[in-house]
Amino acid sequence: MLLDLSGRRIVVDCGLGVTRGLVEAGMALRELDLIFITHLHSDHVLELGPLIHTAWAAGLNNPVTVYGPVGTSALWNGFLISLAYDIEKRIEDEGRPVLSDLVTVKEFGPGIVAELDDFTVTALRVDHPPVTDCFALKFEVAGRTVAFSSDTTYFPPLADFARGADLLVHEAMLPEGIDRLVARTGNGARLREHLVASHTFAADAGRIASAAGVARLALNHLIPADDPDFDESHWRAALAETFSGELIVGRDGLVIPL
Ligand SMILES: [Zn+2]
Ligand SMILES: [Zn+2]
């Protein structure tokens, strides 16, 4: 996800496809600046190293700061080791800046994550078992606030955390969609248990948004995301009784003005 806040471009999570997504959103990769990681599940970090490396190969020459939970440093250092051959060659042969010097990883816990120029980022530990370091994030700048649930099961403290936000981005799943997803994959019962314990049904995402008093709710991290039998109308119907504000159903490439 790309957040454009008072002229700073902020990448939130780096799942597969993030690099292409940023380019398609019109971002020059060499402008990469700030990255926030909510937790270390692969759909949030698989492309962290590749994104930074691709930006570097595209001419990145300014510092990049990666904020993430404990383990983010190890992930980045592991990526540097895995690409050591290529990185050394490009520094020697192409005169590129030393990649490890360009990137700073700052691991965070709950509370204030960063106070940068004119904005503040705060983290709330959410409930996403078996991951314990999983954080909702709130970005506040010049009187505007955006909150991200990250991955979480229904977690009422999120409502306090997001109170008064101009936009809440919350993950969501559809009960009917899960039945089909579970039927399609091999490890059905186990997968269902994980989904129900670790993610939020759409109606409950609406409850969080209503309790937080936010006017706009964007659903993302949709489960299922790729089932042609479920479209926007299903998501709207799922929230009809729990949220009456402006509902935005997320999809790749969607732009939401603040
Ligand atoms: Zn997750
Ligand atoms: Zn996820």
Side-chain angles (χ1 to χ4, degrees):
M1 222 158 346
L2 176 63
L3 192 58
D4 207 326
L5 277 187
S6 71
R8 294 201 70 172
R9 307 223 116 158
I10 301 164
V11 178
V12 181
D13 284 338
C14 293
L16 194 64
V18 70
T19 311
R20 178 173 291 269
L22 294 177
V23 170
E24 285 174 358
M27 179 170 163
L29 291 179
R30 36 205 295 261
E31 292 169 9
L32 198 62
D33 174 13
L34 299 170
I35 299 174
F36 288 82
I37 300 295
T38 62
H39 66 301
L40 297 183
H41 263 148
S42 58
D43 55 319
H44 300 256
V45 295
L46 201 60
E47 218 172 283
L48 171 65
L51 167 63
I52 298 172
H53 184 286
T54 305
W56 177 67
L60 178 79
N61 202 2
N62 54 274
V64 170
T65 309
V66 181
Y67 296 86
V70 170
T72 306
S73 284
L75 180 76
W76 169 242
N77 291 330
F79 175 81
L80 287 175
I81 291 167
S82 72
L83 263 286
Y85 179 85
D86 171 88
I87 292 169
E88 279 167 26
K89 288 288 170 286
R90 286 183 193 276
I91 293 169
E92 287 164 20
D93 188 44
E94 300 172 18
R96 295 187 184 278
V98 176
L99 180 55
S100 56
D101 289 350
L102 281 185
V103 179
T104 305
V105 177
K106 294 189 175 178
E107 295 186 340
F108 67 80
I112 291 184
V113 175
E115 287 177 295
L116 298 154
D117 303 338
D118 52 352
F119 69 91
T120 304
V121 186
T122 318
L124 172 74
R125 191 188 301 278
V126 288
D127 190 13
H128 185 49
V131 180
T132 50
D133 282 339
C134 182
F135 296 97
L137 293 174
K138 180 167 61 178
F139 296 81
E140 294 170 274
V141 57
R144 312 293 285 169
T145 301
V146 188
F148 295 90
S149 70
S150 181
D151 287 8
T152 180
T153 190
Y154 176 53
F155 191 59
L158 251 177
D160 280 329
F161 183 70
R163 181 146 345 266
D166 299 282
L167 174 69
L168 169 64
V169 180
H170 201 296
E171 69 129 90
M173 62 184 172
L174 277 180
E176 322 82 277
I178 294 201
D179 295 338
R180 304 211 350 164
L181 186 71
V182 160
R184 273 209 321 264
T185 52
N187 55 341
R190 203 51 198 281
L191 178 62
R192 175 190 296 278
E193 266 175 45
H194 162 77
L195 291 173
V196 171
S198 307
H199 293 280
T200 303
F201 286 116
D204 287 332
R207 286 187 176 93
I208 296 288
S210 293
V214 301
R216 303 171 86 199
L217 167 65
L219 300 180
N220 80 333
H221 200 282
L222 305 180
I223 305 174
D226 53 359
D227 188 327
D229 284 354
F230 296 100
D231 60 24
E232 193 165 325
S233 65
H234 293 88
W235 294 98
R236 293 194 178 280
L239 278 93
E241 290 181 4
T242 59
F243 182 67
S244 58
E246 182 190 345
L247 176 65
I248 300 156
V249 180
R251 59 181 152 73
D252 283 350
L254 179 68
V255 176
I256 305 172
L258 275 180

